[in-house]
Amino acid sequence: MTGAYVTAGEDYKRDMNYVTTRITADGRDGFAVEPGRYRLVVSRACPWANRAIIVRRLLGLEDVLSMGVAGPTHDARSWTFDLDPDGRDPVLGYERLQEAYFALDPDYPRGITVPAIVDVTTGKLVTNDFDQLTRDLSGEWTAYQREGAPDLFPADLHDEQESVMRRVFTEVNNGVYRCGFAGSQETYEAAYERLWTAMDWLEDRLATRRYLMGERITEADVRLFTTLVRFDPVYHGHFKCNRNKLTEMPNLWAYARDLFQTPGFGDTVDFDHIKAHYYVVHADINPTRIVPAGPSLDNWLEPHGRDGLPTDTWGSGGTAPGPVAEAERVDPAHTPLR
């Protein structure tokens, strides 16, 4: 994501107007699923992009959907490909993700956000709809998913899962931003109350369930994890979500460590990118742009103790993803998973 700012006196409202074109098996929007045709552009700093990275990895789509990684910081114009040796994405040839948006619409009026999928054949943005994007990786790319890929949207859990994901999004994923970008004491306190009501609900829910929906991992876990892994390094202090730390909530902290140590989750997380993004880009919140040295990360590898809960982690016939491709490994200096 990009373009979040404090507006004095106002509640934070996320702009949810995205390019909603879909890539589908039947190509009904003009974009059919096709190996090698599309490029997923992400930043490891962004929680919404982190979702897409995790889902792509869990489903084993690395060989059919390439991934470009933008740097953790950006200016008011766009995410940039400053991690690449010549400052250009090696597939798209772009210096800025903005170029793909303007190739679609030269007058594109909104924020330049990640995740984004770009049509390599034209260089144009196809979609930046982060919610639908991962749903389609699960539901439309089935012909190219790895053997043993988990079903992240099990039919028997559909209604309950949608309800849980809706609450996680409004109250937690977006709730931390509502706290961080509150424009008044009153709006901040209301946002803070909403966030911690939801966090307490999750703490209770996870007392008897290994995962949000019970015995197996679903996309609900992916969506919650990307906020939890950023909570103590960023949201607790930077966004003033400081009733307590994640490490002080026994069930949520054990659950977060459990997922972090699961292939496909922690191996996508770059803590240096996360901290650099929030503390450097959000100059209206952190005008000095000083990036905190802490917290210590080694505790993410401590035993989580959740093995005794009812478990069918990958679902019937499902398996864990294999090792991360060397080209997509997180810098070992940026993660405790060395």
Side-chain angles (χ1 to χ4, degrees):
M1 291 292 182
T2 188
Y5 302 99
V6 174
T7 303
E10 294 186 12
D11 191 5
Y12 170 70
K13 294 180 175 61
R14 182 174 297 282
D15 182 355
M16 294 293 289
N17 291 292
Y18 297 104
V19 177
T20 57
T21 308
R22 294 175 61 189
I23 301 169
T24 58
D26 63 5
R28 58 186 175 272
D29 282 2
F31 295 93
V33 170
E34 183 181 331
R37 178 177 172 183
Y38 306 102
R39 188 156 177 83
L40 173 66
V41 178
V42 299
S43 168
R44 293 191 185 276
C46 172
W48 319 96
N50 198 176
R51 288 185 187 182
I53 299 170
I54 293 171
V55 170
R56 172 180 174 269
R57 174 147 159 64
L58 294 180
L59 299 178
L61 294 172
E62 294 96 328
D63 290 341
V64 297
L65 176 62
S66 68
M67 185 170 75
V69 181
T73 62
H74 59 75
D75 57 24
R77 293 167 57 197
S78 177
W79 297 90
T80 58
F81 294 104
D82 49 287
L83 300 177
D84 293 303
D86 60 354
R88 291 184 179 272
D89 179 88
V91 172
L92 300 173
Y94 290 155
E95 292 182 335
R96 293 174 172 270
L97 178 57
Q98 183 184 57
E99 296 172 66
Y101 280 70
F102 288 170
L104 174 69
D105 178 359
D107 299 314
Y108 186 78
R110 300 187 181 279
I112 308 301
T113 63
V114 289
I117 293 185
V118 179
D119 184 347
V120 174
T121 65
T122 64
K124 296 180 180 180
L125 174 76
V126 178
T127 182
N128 64 343
D129 185 347
F130 68 91
D131 175 77
Q132 189 63 49
L133 189 156
T134 54
R135 293 175 183 271
D136 285 343
L137 292 182
S138 282
E140 301 292 333
W141 291 70
T142 53
Y144 300 101
Q145 293 171 10
R146 67 179 176 87
E147 184 177 356
D151 181 358
L152 298 178
F153 289 92
D156 59 317
L157 298 175
H158 177 271
D159 291 348
E160 183 184 5
Q161 182 176 340
E162 290 295 334
S163 175
V164 168
M165 291 195 303
R166 190 176 310 114
R167 187 170 184 182
V168 166
F169 171 70
T170 60
E171 307 305 297
V172 180
N173 300 148
N174 203 44
V176 294
Y177 282 81
R178 197 181 295 112
C179 290
F181 291 98
S184 70
Q185 188 69 35
E186 181 180 15
T187 58
Y188 163 71
E189 290 180 3
Y192 179 95
E193 194 66 33
R194 284 180 63 177
L195 169 67
W196 286 106
T197 296
M199 292 288 278
D200 287 339
W201 164 69
L202 289 166
E203 177 74 5
D204 290 343
R205 184 178 181 90
L206 290 165
T208 57
R209 302 164 181 254
R210 184 157 184 182
Y211 307 110
L212 272 182
M213 303 310 303
E215 298 183 1
R216 51 186 160 165
I217 286 172
T218 66
E219 179 145 336
D221 299 295
V222 177
R223 295 182 179 211
L224 178 57
F225 173 78
T226 59
T227 294
L228 296 184
V229 82
R230 289 161 174 77
F231 200 89
D232 285 4
V234 175
Y235 302 144
H236 177 269
H238 184 58
F239 278 1
K240 306 178 184 69
C241 302
N242 61 353
R243 190 193 74 180
N244 49 258
K245 297 177 181 177
L246 177 65
T247 55
E248 296 166 345
M249 304 190 77
N251 297 328
L252 269 170
W253 172 226
Y255 163 82
R257 296 199 312 279
D258 187 3
L259 289 177
F260 186 85
Q261 295 168 32
T262 299
F265 285 84
D267 53 31
T268 71
V269 175
D270 188 316
F271 283 106
D272 281 38
H273 282 203
I274 289 168
K275 289 164 59 177
H277 172 73
Y278 286 93
Y279 288 105
V280 172
V281 171
H282 298 160
D284 47 349
I285 297 176
N286 184 41
T288 65
R289 298 185 173 180
I290 294 171
V291 179
S296 172
L297 301 175
D298 289 342
N299 54 3
W300 280 97
L301 300 183
E302 292 176 355
H304 52 74
R306 292 179 63 80
D307 310 81
L309 294 170
T311 301
D312 181 20
T313 299
W314 303 109
S316 178
T319 59
V324 181
E326 184 62 29
E328 295 189 1
R329 286 187 67 221
V330 172
D331 185 331
H334 298 180
T335 174
L337 288 174
R338 295 181 178 88

